[in-house]
Amino acid sequence: MKGWNEFEIGSVLFAFEGSEDGIKVQEKLPENRAYTENSSKKRSVAHWRVQKPVHNNNICINCFNCWVYCPDGAILARDEKLSGVDYVHCKGCGVCVEVCPTNPKSLLMFDENEENTEALAKWPQKESK
Ligand code: SF4
Ligand code: SF4
């Protein structure tokens, strides 16, 4: 039986030029790493999203649960506060909504084509327990 590190590499999209050399690219400072043409830095990777998370700044308590759990690093933060969603990379998986602890949630999923302003206007009220 082969070990995991003995298999031939199949389809891998490396983020940085030279990533196939493993540790060497990790040793470089971030500013010295060149993104590959097919990395998500240079290509949109959100075409298949059918629903998007919308952030409601008025309810958010900046707990950063969504930032920690987003599998794509698509939650944006600025000055130690949540500032929105990176729609170029967000896949619409909904994990951020699931882990948001506020009542009502500060992130909710809406149809991809809905304007964020319209989504915010129909935000639900606090649910009584
Ligand atoms: S929907 Fe998924 S990919 Fe998009 S911001 Fe939320 S957790 Fe991240
Ligand atoms: S999980 Fe909800 S309350 Fe916490 S930072 Fe994200 S949007 Fe704000």
Side-chain angles (χ1 to χ4, degrees):
M1 297 282 283
K2 282 188 173 183
W4 65 270
N5 54 353
E6 296 172 287
F7 284 93
E8 293 291 317
I9 293 176
S11 178
V12 178
L13 300 179
F14 290 111
F16 301 108
E17 300 290 354
S19 293
E20 57 275 17
D21 290 337
I23 198 73
K24 283 182 185 162
V25 75
Q26 301 294 338
E27 290 169 350
K28 292 183 179 174
L29 292 170
E31 57 268 29
N32 294 333
R33 296 179 199 158
Y35 285 96
T36 60
E37 280 306 312
N38 51 22
S39 72
S40 62
K41 179 79 173 175
K42 295 197 172 181
R43 301 284 175 203
S44 171
V45 284
H47 289 100
W48 59 84
R49 191 179 59 230
V50 291
Q51 285 197 312
K52 63 178 177 181
V54 176
H55 176 233
N56 189 327
N57 194 37
N58 294 324
I59 307 170
C60 177
I61 57 173
N62 295 298
C63 70
F64 278 73
N65 260 5
C66 54
W67 184 85
V68 169
Y69 282 96
C70 173
D72 210 304
I75 298 289
L76 302 173
R78 185 168 289 270
D79 297 329
E80 299 180 9
K81 291 189 173 169
L82 201 95
S83 61
V85 178
D86 170 3
Y87 290 123
V88 177
H89 294 95
C90 167
K91 308 294 186 296
C93 68
V95 168
C96 53
V97 172
E98 286 298 315
V99 298
C100 180
T102 59
N103 178 9
K105 286 181 181 284
S106 312
L107 281 161
L108 284 173
M109 300 303 283
F110 288 88
D111 187 274
E112 175 64 21
N113 297 317
E114 182 141 23
E115 293 291 336
N116 281 16
T117 48
E118 289 173 16
L120 288 167
K122 58 170 82 162
W123 214 264
Q125 298 295 307
K126 182 173 183 174
E127 285 178 24
S128 54
K129 302 257 174 179

Coordinates of all heavy atoms in Angstrom, one line a residue, residues 47-102:
H47 N -18.1 31.7 -9.6 CA -19.1 31.7 -10.6 C -20.3 30.8 -10.3 O -21.4 31.1 -10.7 CB -18.5 31.2 -11.9 CG -17.6 32.1 -12.5 ND1 -16.2 32.0 -12.4 CD2 -17.8 33.2 -13.3 CE1 -15.6 33.0 -13.1 NE2 -16.5 33.7 -13.6
W48 N -20.1 29.8 -9.5 CA -21.2 28.8 -9.3 C -22.1 29.2 -8.1 O -23.0 28.5 -7.8 CB -20.6 27.4 -9.1 CG -19.6 27.3 -8.0 CD1 -20.0 27.1 -6.6 CD2 -18.2 27.4 -8.0 NE1 -18.8 27.1 -5.9 CE2 -17.7 27.3 -6.7 CE3 -17.3 27.6 -9.0 CZ2 -16.4 27.3 -6.4 CZ3 -16.0 27.6 -8.7 CH2 -15.5 27.5 -7.4
R49 N -21.8 30.3 -7.4 CA -22.6 30.6 -6.3 C -24.0 31.0 -6.7 O -24.2 31.7 -7.6 CB -21.9 31.8 -5.6 CG -22.5 32.1 -4.2 CD -21.8 33.3 -3.5 NE -21.9 34.5 -4.3 CZ -20.9 35.3 -4.7 NH1 -19.7 35.0 -4.2 NH2 -21.1 36.3 -5.4
V50 N -25.0 30.4 -6.0 CA -26.4 30.7 -6.3 C -27.1 31.5 -5.2 O -28.1 32.2 -5.4 CB -27.3 29.4 -6.5 CG1 -26.8 28.8 -7.8 CG2 -27.2 28.5 -5.4
Q51 N -26.5 31.4 -4.0 CA -26.9 32.3 -2.9 C -25.7 32.9 -2.3 O -24.6 32.4 -2.3 CB -27.6 31.5 -1.8 CG -29.0 31.1 -2.2 CD -29.8 30.6 -1.0 OE1 -29.3 29.8 -0.2 NE2 -31.0 31.1 -0.8
K52 N -25.9 34.1 -1.8 CA -24.7 34.9 -1.2 C -25.1 35.3 0.2 O -26.2 35.6 0.6 CB -24.4 36.1 -2.0 CG -25.5 37.1 -2.0 CD -25.2 38.3 -2.8 CE -26.4 39.3 -2.8 NZ -26.2 40.5 -3.6
P53 N -24.0 35.4 1.1 CA -24.3 35.9 2.4 C -24.3 37.4 2.4 O -23.4 38.0 1.7 CB -23.1 35.3 3.2 CG -22.0 35.2 2.2 CD -22.7 34.9 0.9
V54 N -25.2 38.0 3.1 CA -25.2 39.5 3.2 C -25.0 39.8 4.7 O -25.5 39.1 5.6 CB -26.6 40.0 2.8 CG1 -26.6 41.6 3.0 CG2 -26.8 39.7 1.3
H55 N -24.1 40.8 4.9 CA -23.7 41.1 6.3 C -24.5 42.4 6.8 O -24.6 43.4 6.1 CB -22.2 41.5 6.3 CG -21.8 41.9 7.7 ND1 -21.1 43.1 7.8 CD2 -21.9 41.4 8.9 CE1 -20.8 43.2 9.1 NE2 -21.3 42.2 9.8
N56 N -25.1 42.3 8.0 CA -25.8 43.4 8.5 C -25.0 44.0 9.7 O -24.9 43.5 10.8 CB -27.2 42.9 9.1 CG -28.1 44.1 9.5 OD1 -27.6 45.1 9.9 ND2 -29.4 43.9 9.3
N57 N -24.4 45.1 9.3 CA -23.5 45.8 10.3 C -24.2 46.3 11.5 O -23.5 46.5 12.6 CB -22.9 47.0 9.5 CG -21.7 47.5 10.2 OD1 -20.9 46.8 10.7 ND2 -21.6 48.8 10.1
N58 N -25.5 46.5 11.5 CA -26.2 47.0 12.7 C -26.4 46.0 13.8 O -26.7 46.4 14.9 CB -27.6 47.6 12.2 CG -27.4 48.8 11.3 OD1 -26.5 49.6 11.5 ND2 -28.3 48.9 10.4
I59 N -26.3 44.7 13.4 CA -26.5 43.7 14.4 C -25.2 43.0 14.8 O -25.1 42.5 15.9 CB -27.5 42.6 13.9 CG1 -28.7 43.3 13.3 CG2 -27.9 41.6 14.9 CD1 -29.7 42.4 12.5
C60 N -24.2 43.0 13.9 CA -23.0 42.3 14.1 C -22.3 42.7 15.4 O -22.2 43.9 15.7 CB -22.1 42.5 12.9 SG -20.5 41.8 13.1
I61 N -21.8 41.7 16.2 CA -21.1 42.0 17.4 C -19.6 41.8 17.3 O -18.8 41.8 18.3 CB -21.6 41.2 18.6 CG1 -21.5 39.7 18.3 CG2 -23.1 41.6 19.0 CD1 -21.8 38.7 19.4
N62 N -19.1 41.6 16.0 CA -17.7 41.4 15.7 C -17.0 40.3 16.6 O -15.9 40.5 17.1 CB -17.0 42.8 15.9 CG -17.4 43.8 14.9 OD1 -17.3 43.6 13.7 ND2 -18.0 44.9 15.4
C63 N -17.7 39.2 16.7 CA -17.2 38.1 17.4 C -16.2 37.3 16.5 O -15.4 36.5 17.0 CB -18.3 37.1 17.8 SG -19.1 36.2 16.5
F64 N -16.3 37.5 15.2 CA -15.3 36.9 14.2 C -15.5 35.4 14.1 O -14.6 34.7 13.5 CB -13.9 37.3 14.5 CG -13.6 38.6 13.9 CD1 -14.1 39.8 14.6 CD2 -12.8 38.8 12.8 CE1 -13.8 41.0 14.1 CE2 -12.6 40.0 12.3 CZ -13.0 41.2 12.9
N65 N -16.6 34.8 14.6 CA -16.9 33.4 14.3 C -16.8 33.1 12.8 O -16.3 32.2 12.3 CB -18.2 33.0 14.9 CG -18.1 32.3 16.2 OD1 -17.1 32.2 16.8 ND2 -19.3 31.9 16.7
C66 N -17.5 34.0 12.1 CA -17.6 33.8 10.6 C -16.3 33.8 10.0 O -16.0 33.0 9.1 CB -18.6 34.8 10.0 SG -18.1 36.5 10.4
W67 N -15.4 34.7 10.4 CA -14.1 34.9 9.9 C -13.3 33.6 10.1 O -12.5 33.1 9.3 CB -13.4 36.1 10.5 CG -12.1 36.4 10.0 CD1 -11.8 37.2 8.9 CD2 -10.8 36.1 10.6 NE1 -10.4 37.3 8.7 CE2 -9.8 36.6 9.8 CE3 -10.4 35.3 11.7 CZ2 -8.5 36.5 10.0 CZ3 -9.1 35.1 11.9 CH2 -8.1 35.7 11.1
V68 N -13.4 33.0 11.3 CA -12.7 31.8 11.7 C -13.1 30.6 10.9 O -12.3 29.8 10.4 CB -12.8 31.5 13.2 CG1 -12.3 30.1 13.5 CG2 -12.1 32.6 14.0
Y69 N -14.4 30.5 10.7 CA -15.0 29.3 10.1 C -15.1 29.3 8.6 O -15.3 28.3 7.9 CB -16.3 28.9 10.7 CG -16.2 28.3 12.1 CD1 -16.3 29.1 13.2 CD2 -15.9 26.9 12.2 CE1 -16.2 28.5 14.5 CE2 -15.8 26.4 13.4 CZ -15.9 27.1 14.6 OH -15.8 26.6 15.8
C70 N -15.1 30.5 8.0 CA -15.2 30.5 6.5 C -14.1 29.7 5.9 O -12.9 30.0 6.1 CB -15.1 32.0 6.0 SG -15.0 32.1 4.2
P71 N -14.4 28.7 5.1 CA -13.4 27.8 4.5 C -12.6 28.5 3.4 O -11.7 27.9 2.8 CB -14.2 26.6 4.0 CG -15.6 27.2 3.7 CD -15.8 28.3 4.7
D72 N -13.0 29.7 3.0 CA -12.4 30.4 1.9 C -11.7 31.7 2.2 O -11.3 32.4 1.3 CB -13.4 30.6 0.8 CG -12.7 30.5 -0.6 OD1 -11.8 31.3 -0.8 OD2 -13.1 29.7 -1.4
G73 N -11.7 32.1 3.4 CA -11.1 33.4 3.8 C -11.8 34.5 3.1 O -11.2 35.5 2.8
A74 N -13.1 34.4 2.9 CA -13.9 35.4 2.2 C -14.6 36.4 3.1 O -15.3 37.2 2.6 CB -14.9 34.7 1.3
I75 N -14.4 36.3 4.4 CA -14.9 37.3 5.3 C -13.9 38.4 5.4 O -12.7 38.2 5.7 CB -15.2 36.7 6.7 CG1 -16.3 35.6 6.5 CG2 -15.7 37.8 7.6 CD1 -17.7 36.1 6.2
L76 N -14.3 39.7 5.2 CA -13.4 40.8 5.2 C -13.4 41.5 6.6 O -14.5 41.7 7.1 CB -13.7 41.8 4.1 CG -13.7 41.2 2.7 CD1 -14.2 42.2 1.7 CD2 -12.3 40.7 2.3
A77 N -12.3 42.0 7.0 CA -12.2 42.7 8.3 C -11.3 43.9 8.1 O -10.4 43.9 7.3 CB -11.7 41.8 9.4
R78 N -11.7 45.0 8.8 CA -10.9 46.2 8.8 C -11.0 46.9 10.1 O -12.1 47.0 10.7 CB -11.4 47.1 7.6 CG -10.6 48.4 7.4 CD -10.9 49.1 6.2 NE -10.5 48.3 5.0 CZ -9.3 48.4 4.4 NH1 -8.5 49.3 4.9 NH2 -9.0 47.7 3.4
D79 N -9.9 47.4 10.6 CA -9.9 48.1 11.9 C -10.6 47.2 13.0 O -11.4 47.8 13.8 CB -10.5 49.5 11.8 CG -9.8 50.4 10.9 OD1 -8.6 50.2 10.7 OD2 -10.4 51.2 10.2
E80 N -10.3 46.0 13.0 CA -10.8 45.0 14.0 C -12.3 44.9 14.0 O -12.9 44.5 15.0 CB -10.3 45.4 15.4 CG -8.7 45.4 15.5 CD -8.2 45.8 16.9 OE1 -9.0 45.9 17.8 OE2 -7.0 46.0 17.0
K81 N -12.9 45.2 12.9 CA -14.3 45.0 12.7 C -14.6 44.3 11.4 O -13.9 44.4 10.5 CB -15.1 46.3 12.8 CG -15.0 47.0 14.1 CD -15.9 48.2 14.1 CE -16.0 48.7 15.6 NZ -16.6 50.0 15.7
L82 N -15.7 43.5 11.5 CA -16.1 42.8 10.2 C -16.6 43.9 9.2 O -17.4 44.8 9.6 CB -17.2 41.9 10.5 CG -17.4 40.8 9.5 CD1 -16.6 39.6 9.9 CD2 -18.8 40.5 9.2
S83 N -16.1 43.8 8.0 CA -16.4 44.9 7.0 C -17.2 44.3 5.8 O -17.6 45.1 5.0 CB -15.2 45.6 6.6 OG -14.3 44.7 5.9
G84 N -17.4 43.0 5.7 CA -18.2 42.5 4.6 C -17.7 41.2 4.1 O -17.0 40.5 4.8
V85 N -18.2 40.9 2.9 CA -17.9 39.6 2.3 C -17.2 39.9 0.9 O -17.5 40.7 0.2 CB -19.2 38.8 2.0 CG1 -18.9 37.5 1.3 CG2 -19.9 38.6 3.3
D86 N -16.1 39.1 0.7 CA -15.4 39.2 -0.6 C -16.2 38.3 -1.6 O -16.0 37.0 -1.6 CB -14.0 38.6 -0.3 CG -13.2 38.4 -1.6 OD1 -13.7 38.7 -2.7 OD2 -12.1 37.9 -1.5
Y87 N -17.0 38.9 -2.4 CA -17.8 38.1 -3.3 C -17.0 37.6 -4.5 O -17.6 36.8 -5.3 CB -19.0 39.0 -3.8 CG -20.0 39.3 -2.8 CD1 -20.3 40.6 -2.4 CD2 -20.6 38.2 -2.1 CE1 -21.3 40.8 -1.4 CE2 -21.6 38.5 -1.1 CZ -21.9 39.8 -0.8 OH -22.8 40.0 0.2
V88 N -15.8 37.9 -4.7 CA -15.0 37.3 -5.7 C -14.5 35.9 -5.3 O -14.2 35.1 -6.2 CB -13.7 38.2 -6.0 CG1 -12.8 37.6 -7.1 CG2 -14.2 39.6 -6.5
H89 N -14.5 35.7 -4.0 CA -14.0 34.4 -3.6 C -15.1 33.6 -2.8 O -14.9 32.3 -2.7 CB -12.8 34.5 -2.7 CG -11.6 35.1 -3.4 ND1 -11.3 36.4 -3.5 CD2 -10.7 34.4 -4.2 CE1 -10.2 36.6 -4.2 NE2 -9.8 35.4 -4.7
C90 N -16.1 34.2 -2.3 CA -17.1 33.5 -1.5 C -17.8 32.5 -2.4 O -18.2 32.8 -3.5 CB -18.1 34.5 -1.0 SG -19.6 33.7 -0.3
K91 N -18.0 31.2 -1.9 CA -18.6 30.2 -2.6 C -20.1 30.0 -2.3 O -20.8 29.2 -2.9 CB -17.9 28.8 -2.3 CG -16.4 28.8 -2.5 CD -16.1 29.0 -4.0 CE -14.6 28.9 -4.2 NZ -13.8 29.9 -3.5
G92 N -20.6 30.7 -1.3 CA -22.0 30.6 -0.9 C -22.3 29.4 -0.2 O -23.4 28.9 -0.2
C93 N -21.4 28.9 0.6 CA -21.6 27.6 1.3 C -22.5 27.8 2.5 O -23.1 26.9 3.0 CB -20.3 27.0 1.8 SG -19.4 28.0 3.0
G94 N -22.5 29.0 3.1 CA -23.4 29.3 4.2 C -22.9 29.0 5.6 O -23.6 29.1 6.6
V95 N -21.7 28.5 5.7 CA -21.1 28.2 7.0 C -21.0 29.5 7.9 O -21.4 29.4 9.1 CB -19.6 27.7 6.8 CG1 -18.9 27.6 8.1 CG2 -19.7 26.3 6.1
C96 N -20.7 30.6 7.3 CA -20.7 31.8 8.1 C -22.0 32.1 8.7 O -22.1 32.6 9.9 CB -20.2 33.0 7.2 SG -21.2 33.2 5.7
V97 N -23.1 31.9 8.0 CA -24.4 32.1 8.6 C -24.7 31.2 9.7 O -25.2 31.5 10.8 CB -25.5 32.0 7.5 CG1 -26.9 32.0 8.0 CG2 -25.3 33.1 6.4
E98 N -24.3 29.9 9.5 CA -24.6 28.9 10.6 C -23.9 29.2 11.9 O -24.4 29.0 12.9 CB -24.1 27.5 10.1 CG -24.9 26.9 9.0 CD -26.4 26.6 9.5 OE1 -26.5 26.1 10.7 OE2 -27.3 26.9 8.8
V99 N -22.7 29.8 11.8 CA -21.9 30.0 13.1 C -22.2 31.4 13.7 O -21.6 31.7 14.7 CB -20.4 29.8 12.8 CG1 -20.1 28.4 12.4 CG2 -19.8 30.8 11.8
C100 N -22.9 32.2 13.0 CA -23.2 33.6 13.6 C -24.1 33.4 14.8 O -25.2 32.9 14.6 CB -23.8 34.5 12.5 SG -24.2 36.1 13.1
P101 N -23.7 34.0 15.9 CA -24.5 33.7 17.1 C -25.6 34.8 17.5 O -26.3 34.6 18.4 CB -23.4 33.8 18.2 CG -22.4 34.8 17.7 CD -22.5 34.7 16.2
T102 N -25.7 35.8 16.7 CA -26.7 36.9 17.1 C -28.1 36.5 16.8 O -28.4 35.6 16.0 CB -26.3 38.2 16.4 OG1 -26.4 38.0 15.0 CG2 -24.9 38.7 16.8

